[in-house]
Amino acid sequence: MRKTLIAVMLGQLLLVTGCSQSDEANETTANTAAKAPAATPDTTANTAQQNPLFSTSQLQYQAPDFSAIKTEHFQPALEAGIAAQMAEVLAIAEQTDAPTFANTIEALERSGALLSRASAVFYNLSGSNSNEEFRRIQREMAPKMAAHTDNIHLNAKLFNRIDSLYQQREQLTLTKEEVRLIEVYHQRFVLAGAQLTDEQKVQIRALNEEESTLTNEFQQRLLKLTKENAVLVADVKQLDGLSDTAIRNAAKDAADAGHEGQYLLNLTNTTRQPVLAQLNNRELRQQIWLASSTRGLSGDNETTSLVARLAQLRAQKAALLGYENWATYRLAPQMAKAPSAVFDMFGSMVPAVVKNTEKEAAAIQAMITKTGGDFELQPWDWAYYAEKVRKAEFDLDENSLKPYFEFNRVLEDGVFFTLNQLYGVTFKPRPDLPVYHPDVKAWEMFDADGSSMAIFYGDYFAREGKRGGAWMSSFVRQSELLNQKPVVVNVMNIQKAPDGEPTFVSYDQVTTMFHELGHGTHGMFSKVKYPSLSGTAVSRDFVEFPSTFEEDWAGHPTVLANYAKHYQTGEPLPADMLEKLLNSRSFNMGFDTLEYMSAALLDLEWHSLKADAPQQNVAEFEAAALAKHGVNLTAVPPRYRSTYFAHAFPGGYSASYYAYMWSEILAADAFAYVQTQGGLNREIGMKFRNAIREVGNSVPPMEAYENFRGQQPTTDGLLKRRGLL
């Protein structure tokens, strides 16, 4: 998803349905709730007149009324939501009736409506439309949210009720989905510390509060670093190689930042920067790469101290919960089950990947020499000279492709077209629905029979206040229990063209658009009863499978022919260029795979530290970790260095960044299977929709996969997909 802190926080809020605590901790919970009284119906009604978050939106499918919601509405709604849910949870925990599925599990699923509603809007906007007031609210709410989650998860009476149901789940008259929900609840509460002693619960609370505070601080520093490390260029001659549109965008960004007459090159949140493939000025390329790769190492917004402490406290928390390290703890509920499985997966691939990457490096070094360069290949040279090698090998110029990849046509005739062909759905613009920024668009999704299914928002363009990357999240999660249909958003950071000009996207951005709406339809196709099991509420190493599966349709000949058309003439991408594009898809895949694997291994090594390990020197730890696994190629640094590794530290992917490749194994195997079943057609698409996209977490992931595929996956499809076979 390219999934984020927002999705994780929302997941936690929607799953704060269980706990385990002692009587002492239970008293703490009761005292906390007493200090913040729940809103009574009258109070809520009165407040709703002034604060729209206090009542259910009257827009279709409870879509947020962004025209009425103001920044000052969030904190009161969040705080009242915490108090209201705490009162609901205590009523469930303290009841004298014997525990049943209805009075315990289902009651918890119904709890927290106000908090879920307010947090869904707030945490989405804090990532896509942030400002200083949003950041202040985040800082103040982070420890309160952590305490609230603990107050539920560590409630002894509540956990005893859940545990009682768990122990007798096979004897009760329950549906398969209800049994699954009990099992998911029980596991999450145990992992949250439900079985700890009173003394240990005090410790886990302190660690959770500190982690929440530090991850929030990390995220806020990253936002500042993105602005702080942008590269300002005074002379337009230095931008030789960039398109006229890119130069005008840089001039506009500089003017918006108060640097009229100059040019601002903003950074994405990865080590590699797209602009490095075009700039002819090697010194400027080096400057940009250093600005990217050294983020967070020093200064007021340094993140090295946060990295070191987060790794340490997570190790301490894992030990408290009975695990060797944080990676072991985190992978226990995942498909991988243990870090050893992931290390084995990467270890088996490293030799082939490194060999492939070294071949690519040799070809690039030869190109440097051929074009008159007298220097050794460096990280800031790779993308620039790789593009020259690509042109030489495939006679393919990325810039010559762009007129055929106009944004709106890619979205409508590419992504929407594919979803229609596979799953029968169509998208109708909904300009009547309010949005939170002028660049955001809304659509309604309809099934093949004309029935309405969901509301979809697209927020595709970069702007100040939006964090880097791409992700999907939900404003409303699907649930038959709550009679909720999904309201979903995709967010990206495409550079929008100046007013009146078409916006072109690279082929990488094309595949990302497919990927993110793969996540989106995972949420929008959901057909489960309970919100905690709906949509993308699946394991980390399964959630990227449906979205990665969707990526490969971007290069399917039928799909490409439908959207890859010249923006002015409508002429399709010439056959020779199409063939070159398809043939070049595995180009530079050694680099792509190695930079990803290096980051994933770095994440696992940080989170394999034991509780008694001292805080680490970040630079020294990184160097040792990369050398340990034989992935320390100077010209191919990790996709993310620790100091701006948003997935692993402030985000929800700690010890889980491996999940992209784990999921890719499933995706590549599934896509290869689909091609044996006729490829792009409704029959196989509906089989995938029914078996994978509709079931959420109501079916164990591997069982869901086998229901679709008929067998477990192999790695053959992955190696072919990446051109490594």
Side-chain angles (χ1 to χ4, degrees):
M1 277 217 197
R2 314 177 187 181
K3 195 177 181 183
T4 65
L5 176 63
I6 298 171
V8 175
M9 177 62 77
L10 292 175
Q12 289 175 340
L13 293 168
L14 289 164
L15 297 171
V16 280
T17 50
C19 274
S20 79
Q21 283 174 235
S22 64
D23 290 340
E24 181 180 347
N26 197 35
E27 290 174 6
T28 303
T29 301
N31 290 337
T32 302
K35 291 176 184 176
T40 65
D42 287 343
T43 303
T44 302
N46 290 334
T47 310
Q49 296 175 9
Q50 304 166 3
N51 189 331
L53 293 171
F54 273 80
S55 58
T56 303
S57 170
Q58 297 304 299
L59 296 177
Q60 185 175 351
Y61 303 153
Q62 304 174 33
D65 186 356
F66 295 111
S67 65
I69 297 170
K70 295 180 170 54
T71 306
E72 59 264 28
H73 293 149
F74 289 115
Q75 190 160 359
L78 291 169
E79 291 177 343
I82 288 173
Q85 186 175 37
M86 199 68 249
E88 294 169 329
V89 168
L90 288 176
I92 297 167
E94 298 290 341
Q95 63 186 308
T96 56
D97 292 345
T100 66
F101 183 86
N103 71 17
T104 301
I105 302 296
E106 192 168 289
L108 286 167
E109 287 290 278
R110 294 181 184 276
S111 73
L114 172 57
L115 183 58
S116 294
R117 182 167 57 247
S119 60
V121 180
F122 176 73
Y123 287 104
N124 272 296
L125 267 58
S126 67
S128 58
N129 221 35
S130 186
N131 55 39
E132 188 52 47
E133 181 63 9
F134 266 95
R135 292 189 279 273
R136 180 196 65 77
I137 297 170
Q138 279 184 282
R139 285 193 297 271
E140 292 189 16
M141 291 307 302
K144 296 178 182 180
M145 288 292 203
H148 177 59
T149 301
D150 284 340
N151 287 341
I152 298 174
H153 285 159
L154 303 180
N155 183 302
K157 291 183 179 179
L158 182 59
F159 177 68
N160 288 340
R161 297 181 70 84
I162 294 167
D163 188 54
S164 174
L165 293 169
Y166 176 78
Q167 299 304 331
Q168 55 180 320
R169 65 194 185 282
E170 299 298 343
Q171 287 72 51
L172 299 173
T173 306
L174 299 172
T175 66
K176 186 176 179 180
E177 184 177 343
E178 289 168 344
V179 172
R180 174 69 173 164
L181 184 58
I182 291 174
E183 292 172 344
V184 167
Y185 262 80
H186 189 269
Q187 182 183 56
R188 283 171 178 157
F189 296 168
V190 170
L191 289 173
Q195 296 175 317
L196 297 178
T197 66
D198 294 348
E199 181 181 354
Q200 289 172 325
K201 287 174 182 177
V202 172
Q203 296 175 48
I204 204 79
R205 283 175 178 275
L207 289 170
N208 285 342
E209 180 176 348
E210 184 181 359
E211 182 180 19
S212 176
T213 300
L214 292 179
T215 54
N216 181 67
E217 179 63 22
F218 203 129
Q219 188 65 56
Q220 296 201 17
R221 290 190 189 184
L222 283 185
L223 280 170
K224 294 175 182 176
L225 284 168
T226 299
K227 184 175 181 179
E228 184 179 293
N229 282 46
V231 175
L232 191 63
V233 176
D235 187 352
V236 70
K237 293 179 181 178
Q238 291 184 279
L239 302 181
D240 182 44
L242 295 188
S243 67
D244 290 342
T245 298
I247 292 172
R248 286 197 297 274
N249 282 333
K252 181 179 183 300
D253 289 343
D256 291 346
H259 304 289
E260 193 72 43
Q262 299 188 67
Y263 305 87
L264 193 66
L265 301 177
N266 292 307
L267 301 182
T268 61
N269 196 47
T270 53
T271 304
R272 184 193 341 183
Q273 298 298 311
V275 72
L276 296 182
Q278 287 91 43
L279 284 169
N280 292 323
N281 187 313
R282 188 169 187 248
E283 289 184 1
L284 181 57
R285 293 202 308 268
Q286 181 178 4
Q287 182 184 352
I288 292 167
W289 186 85
L290 289 173
S292 173
S293 66
T294 61
R295 275 175 288 182
L297 289 176
S298 60
D300 293 341
N301 291 309
E302 61 81 20
T303 55
T304 54
S305 60
L306 302 181
V307 169
R309 178 54 187 154
L310 279 167
Q312 184 182 56
L313 75 82
R314 285 170 177 166
Q316 293 168 351
K317 189 158 72 168
L320 195 58
L321 292 163
Y323 290 86
E324 181 181 4
N325 52 50
W326 184 253
T328 304
Y329 165 77
R330 286 280 287 166
L331 269 64
Q334 307 299 316
M335 291 182 74
K337 301 301 182 188
S340 58
V342 181
F343 281 124
D344 288 347
M345 175 185 73
F346 284 131
S348 68
M349 295 177 65
V350 163
V353 172
V354 169
K355 182 179 179 180
N356 199 313
T357 308
E358 288 174 339
K359 284 177 58 180
E360 293 171 0
I364 290 172
Q365 187 66 60
M367 179 60 70
I368 291 173
T369 302
K370 180 180 178 181
T371 54
D374 185 20
F375 51 83
E376 186 176 344
L377 170 64
Q378 296 297 327
W380 49 88
D381 298 316
W382 190 291
Y384 180 76
Y385 286 98
E387 189 57 33
K388 293 183 179 297
V389 173
R390 185 203 301 266
K391 286 183 68 175
E393 288 189 11
F394 302 101
D395 192 23
L396 184 66
D397 180 0
E398 186 76 20
N399 286 327
S400 69
L401 290 173
K402 283 193 173 182
Y404 295 91
F405 294 148
E406 190 273 324
F407 168 77
N408 289 304
R409 181 163 272 159
V410 170
L411 180 63
E412 295 170 10
D413 297 342
V415 186
F416 289 173
F417 168 78
T418 304
L419 296 175
N420 174 261
Q421 296 298 297
L422 287 172
Y423 313 117
V425 296
T426 54
F427 290 79
K428 175 185 175 182
R430 288 293 305 274
D432 57 305
L433 289 175
V435 292
Y436 56 87
H437 188 277
D439 283 344
V440 179
K441 306 299 180 188
W443 289 264
E444 184 174 357
M445 188 176 80
F446 294 88
D447 211 343
D449 63 2
S451 60
S452 176
M453 296 181 68
I455 298 296
F456 169 68
Y457 294 93
D459 181 0
Y460 287 103
F461 302 118
R463 61 175 173 272
E464 187 173 350
K466 181 189 283 190
R467 64 180 180 79
W471 65 93
M472 164 268 181
S473 195
S474 299
F475 289 113
V476 181
R477 296 182 73 94
Q478 180 272 332
S479 167
E480 293 172 359
L481 175 72
L482 304 179
N483 194 31
Q484 292 180 174
K485 289 198 174 183
V487 179
V488 164
V489 61
N490 274 179
V491 186
M492 286 182 63
N493 275 277
I494 295 168
Q495 186 65 53
K496 187 179 181 182
D499 290 345
E501 297 185 29
T503 294
F504 300 122
V505 291
S506 68
Y507 187 69
D508 282 346
Q509 290 171 326
V510 170
T511 60
T512 301
M513 290 169 68
F514 276 80
H515 179 104
E516 293 308 331
L517 204 42
H519 282 307
T521 48
H522 197 178
M524 291 189 285
F525 285 152
S526 181
K527 289 177 65 175
V528 304
K529 185 172 183 179
Y530 300 103
S532 290
L533 299 177
S534 75
T536 56
V538 296
S539 66
R540 280 277 181 266
D541 48 13
F542 191 78
V543 75
E544 298 297 335
F545 156 44
S547 53
T548 305
F549 170 83
E550 212 65 41
E551 282 184 35
D552 281 353
W553 293 109
H556 189 279
T558 302
V559 177
L560 261 170
N562 201 62
Y563 75 83
K565 299 178 180 178
H566 196 280
Y567 79 102
Q568 289 177 318
T569 67
E571 291 295 314
L573 185 68
D576 61 329
M577 291 180 68
L578 175 59
E579 183 180 5
K580 292 170 186 176
L581 173 62
L582 294 176
N583 289 339
S584 71
R585 289 175 66 199
S586 61
F587 176 77
N588 212 40
M589 195 54 74
F591 177 96
D592 289 344
T593 306
L594 186 62
E595 68 157 8
Y596 162 76
M597 288 174 58
S598 299
L601 288 164
L602 195 56
D603 168 37
L604 279 171
E605 286 294 339
W606 272 116
H607 293 108
S608 293
L609 290 168
K610 294 187 176 181
D612 58 358
Q615 288 195 24
Q616 304 293 305
N617 176 288
V618 171
E620 292 175 2
F621 184 89
E622 278 193 359
L626 298 175
K628 174 182 175 181
H629 294 283
V631 293
N632 53 334
L633 275 66
T634 301
V636 189
R639 184 171 298 174
Y640 300 97
R641 308 304 287 255
S642 305
T643 51
Y644 48 93
F645 204 161
H647 290 76
F649 290 101
Y653 274 68
S654 58
S656 302
Y657 190 59
Y658 79 90
Y660 287 96
M661 185 162 285
W662 190 278
S663 294
E664 190 181 348
I665 292 173
L666 302 174
D669 185 73
F671 192 81
Y673 167 68
V674 165
Q675 305 319 304
T676 69
Q677 305 301 304
L680 188 72
N681 67 82
R682 183 75 53 79
E683 183 178 356
I684 191 62
M686 290 305 294
K687 184 179 180 182
F688 188 77
R689 172 176 159 179
N690 297 156
I692 303 296
R693 293 188 180 278
E694 292 182 353
V695 301
N697 197 24
S698 66
V699 177
M702 188 54 76
E703 181 181 330
Y705 188 81
E706 290 178 356
N707 288 342
F708 166 68
R709 179 70 171 87
Q711 65 180 52
Q712 292 195 6
T714 71
T715 59
D716 292 348
L718 171 69
L719 295 174
K720 290 177 182 176
R721 185 180 194 265
R722 288 184 167 257
L724 301 175
L725 267 186

